[in-house]
Structures are given as structure tokens and as C-alpha cells.
Amino acid sequence: MLPKFKWNEVCADADAARGLAETLNLPLPVARVLVSRGVATPAEARRFLNPSLTEHLGDPCDFPGVRIAAERLWKAIQDERDIVVYGDFDADGVAAAAVLVTALRRLGGRAEVFLPVRDPEGYGLTRAALERCLRERAGLPGMLVTVDCGISSPEEVAYLTRLGVEVIITDHHEPNGPLPEAAAIVNPKVGAAPGAEHLCGAGVAFKVAHALVEIGRAKGWYRGASLGGELLVPTGLATVTDIVPLTGENRLLVWNALKYWPRYAGAGLQALLARAAQQTITAPDAYTFGFILGPRINAAGRMESAMTAFELLMTRDRDQRDQAAALAAQLEAFNGRRRGVEERIVLAARKQCGLDAEGATFNGAAVVVGGDGPHAGEEGWHPGVIGIVAARLCDATGRPAAVVSFDQHGAGRGSLRAGEGYHALKALADASEALAGYGGHARAAGFHVRPGAFDLFKRLFCKACSRQAAAAGGCPSRTLTVDGWLEPEDLTLELHREIQRLAPFGNGNPVPRWGLRRLTVKEVRPIGASGQHLLCVFERSGRLLPRGVWFRNGCEVEALRSAQGPLDAVVELRENTSGGESSVELQIVDVGPSARS
């Protein structure tokens, strides 16, 4: 048996870790994780463990462009101009639109929302979506402010400006060309205050809303209550769902969104959680945001119109419970449809790239294609789910994955996901000869393949990913971080609960993973409907460890049973509450022959 990943042990200053453990009364393994993640002093640790909005949230006007944007928005409010908030169809864009529309309306603005439709209008500030936006209105708006898009749309901004519409851009995507000539640009990729470099679109909208209130109060234009609470929950939800790093102000926003969920989550989100979880969850966590609520909000824009998700986020009052329940049911139905379409395409994509074949290899990246044009798969591929399919291929192969869907005219729309150590946009830039356009982040991006250029794209993209892997010394996504090595007596429920103080976990602040040495297999058996998971019990020196579960590795049952010699394992600690009692459980991540046999 070989480990599936290369294990990299984290280095942490031992003296600093002991100092934190003694000063803050923390278990040494927890202190070690803090130090290894750059939280090395007691003051930094206190801030990390108890992030306060009043003490730690930065002045919004320290963020480049925010003051200008807020002042121009206040001028539009005072002039009673119509303001269109132009969002996006994913969870981040929908949440960002809800944040800014809510703030503007509370401050007396005449704000309305416009969300593009994925097919046929496409992502971002496109000419097709703009024409519908203007066509559906009785007249031109006085101002259009984008959220979660617009930084790569200079031509569309120029078009609006010629029509006499003032444009403000708020976004967080990488610009891939000249910046738009807008009245204001707020984007952490263009310039950011310390700690706010990785805000998502909703986080940027929250900054602008915060500045609107602060400037309004300072000038005597607003004397109402703070808006922070009702804007915080959708911002935190979007921050987790958009997989931006949970560090700096992102951690601050998500930590407090979870803390204040019971008080500020509106009727719509409460109904969605109740519908999705099929049970009462009194204390949502980052997993709830990212894997229960986020996909359902995303599903509306993937399968039909994101307006359903926007309306749910805007449904806040208790007397709107019937409306909230109806909207939640619609999102649940969209998500069910999305899952069915996704599974069909995933099976076809795995078959196309030979992922399930013995000895499957990938030349730099996994690239698959479907649709109705040239290079078509057997069935059409829904453009609303190709991003999820790309993410699943990326996870399965450990390499960047690009999924392209062609329409009947031969135009190819693609979605890309890349793991740790890769840069999606740089790889697309190296393949730009075959592209009509692209945009996104280092880990996720969208693109359009020129008609007839798929083979060229695949060749250039795979070469670019191979170069990135070579520069990183191998396949960077197939490495596994080990935060420290534990002894059997360390594996307690108390340690697990202390580790939870480091939450919320996600990108940039992953769940700590621990190494266990020189184990022998006491019991292993398949579990799950088709035996796809394993229940494992290890022992060391006659001492049984807590039971472990190895998800999606049922195929390893015989290898574990016949293992010769001791094994090492990498695990996460979990709390098992089955049977009405709590106990610690191991979630197995990887297993291999002991390095100290």
C-alpha cells in the first residue's frame, strides 16, 4: 500500500508554540497550529480566537476607491436618481447584490437589482445582459453599480458612459486588460487595505455599505440604526461559498456571521436551512454555509434565474414565513435538478478523460468537452454545472481541470478549477491564442474557446499546467499537509473541542490534520450503501485508537487487511454524537507504510 499523497509536515517554532500554550492555556498541538499559520504572539492569538467587529474591522475608507464610490452613491441618493445594482448569477454575486441593495434602500436610495441569466447572456457585465437591463426599464438609470463583476468590461462601461449612465465598479476578480474608465473602482486585486486583500464580491459590497453609513452619519445624512447585522450573514455566507481565504477580514466576517446567525439570519435563509438540512441546526458552521446553503443559492442561477435566490435573501421578516418557505422549496427543487444533471455529466467526463481506467495519467491537466458543436460528447452538457464538474475532476485527478461545453453554433464556454500550487488565470493567459475571453481567480476561472480552436486550447493549456507543476517541483495538488504528530492518548474529545476554537475552517485555514505513527489494523470493514467507505480500528502497543472512517476508499479494504508491518495515517478529529453520547472519531485522510518501521 502506498499513500495517495506526499505528506509535508508543517514546521512551527517550538518556543513560540510553548509560549502561546502557557500564556493562553491552550493544548500544545493547538498552539503549534496557530504558530505555523502565522499567529505567533498572544495578542495575535487573542484576536484570532475572538475576532471583534468593533475592535478589528478596518475603516472602510482606508480601502482604495471606497470613499469615492460611497460619496458618488450618496450624491445619487440625494439627487433621487435611479440606481441599478448589477450583480452576478452565483451565490457571491447574489449575496453582494442583496447587501448593497439593502443598504441603499435603508439609506433612502431608489435601488433596484439586475442579475444576468447564465445562458445566453453569460458571466459579468456583457452587452447582451446590458441591453436586456436597459430594455426592461422605462428609462436609463442615473447610475449603475456592479457587484462581483465588471473589472474586465471596459467596453461595456464605455458604452454606458456614452449613454449618460454613471458607472461604479465593485469586484474582486483579476483584471485581465485595461481597467474600465468608471467613476470609481473598488477591487482588492487593484488595491486593498491590509487584511482585506482577499475579500469576495459580497465582502467588497459590505465595505461600500459600511462606508455609506459612516459617511452618512458624519455628514448628518443618516441617523438610523446600524446596518451591520442584517448585511453580515449574507456576506459571511458568500465568503465561504466563494472559497476565498478565511484569513484577515474574511475570517472576521465569517466568524461573526456565524456568531450572530440566530439574531440576524432572515426568514428566507432560516427556511432554506430548515428545508435543506431536514432537521433543526441551531449553530451553523462554515460547512453549513459552504455545502448546505451555498450550493442551493448557486443552483438558482445554474438552472434557471438567480432572482429566486436574491428574493430569498431579501425575505427577512418573520411575517414573511410563507413566502420564505415557498422560495426555499424552489431552491431545493433547483438543487435537485442540478445534482441529477451534474452526475450525468461527471460520469461522461470521467469516461472521456479515462479517469476510471487502470493506470490513468494526465498530461498536465484534465480537459474534457461536450455539447452540440464539433468535439461534442454523446449528450449536451448544461453550462450551469460545468464548473462543479471541473471541481470534481480537479479533486479526483489532483490537477487543474477544464470543462468545455459547445453550443450548436460551435461556440465553446468553459469553466476551470485548479488546486493548491496552480494559477488558473496564468494558465489561461498562456492559452489565450485559442480564447475569445477569460476571467476569474487563481483557483477558478471561466473562459470562451474560439470556434474550431478546442484542440489548440487543450494543447496550450496542458503545457501551461505542466510548466506550473514543474516549477513547483511536481504535482502540487497531490501533497498533504500534516500539522503535527499525535500520540494515542492525545486523541480526546477535549482536544477536538479546543481545535474547534480555530474555526471557521476553509480555504486558507484548513481543518488541522494529524499524523499517527506505527499503527496496526485491528478491524476494517466496508460501510455505506455500496461499501464505498471503510470503518477502521487501529491499535498501537496494545492500545485501541478511536474508530476511524475512511470515506470513498472502500477499494482499500483488502490492502489494509493484508498490510505487512506498521502503518502511518493522517487523520482529522471529529465529534461523533450517535447514540446520544459524544465521542471523538477519526476521519482518515491517507494511510501508508510507516516511515519508522
Side-chain angles (χ1 to χ4, degrees), residues 329-387:
Q330 289 184 54
L331 292 189
E332 188 68 20
F334 287 145
N335 196 51
R337 283 173 49 198
R338 186 270 305 170
R339 281 198 301 261
V341 172
E342 175 191 335
E343 288 303 324
R344 174 177 61 79
I345 297 176
V346 165
L347 288 174
R350 291 178 69 97
K351 180 179 179 181
Q352 186 180 135
C353 66
L355 183 59
D356 298 320
E358 185 174 350
T361 59
F362 301 92
N363 182 24
V367 182
V368 294
V369 59
D372 299 320
H375 308 287
E378 293 181 0
E379 298 180 58
W381 287 4
H382 195 298
V385 301
I386 58 175

Side-chain angles (χ1 to χ4, degrees), residues 94-103 105-106 227 229-235 263-270 310-321 323-324 327:
V94 173
V99 166
L100 197 54
V101 167
T102 298
R105 289 176 180 174
R106 293 282 195 273
L227 306 181
E230 62 184 309
L231 306 185
L232 189 61
V233 170
T235 301
R263 182 176 177 183
Y264 289 117
L269 280 174
Q270 295 277 17
F310 176 79
E311 291 169 5
L312 179 128
L313 291 179
M314 297 295 286
T315 304
R316 295 191 175 90
D317 297 337
R318 292 184 178 182
D319 60 3
Q320 295 178 296
R321 287 177 178 172
Q323 178 184 349
L327 291 168

Side-chain angles (χ1 to χ4, degrees), residues 446-498:
F447 56 95
H448 291 271
V449 179
R450 298 182 188 278
F454 174 76
D455 291 336
L456 175 62
F457 164 74
K458 183 175 181 178
R459 183 171 68 253
L460 294 176
F461 178 71
C462 288
K463 285 183 178 179
C465 293
S466 292
R467 287 194 295 268
Q468 290 187 16
C475 182
S477 297
R478 304 309 286 178
T479 61
L480 184 63
T481 297
V482 180
D483 290 282
W485 294 86
L486 298 181
E487 299 298 322
E489 58 268 23
D490 296 325
L491 304 175
T492 64
L493 190 58
E494 290 71 27
L495 177 60
H496 166 71
R497 288 175 175 171
E498 286 290 323

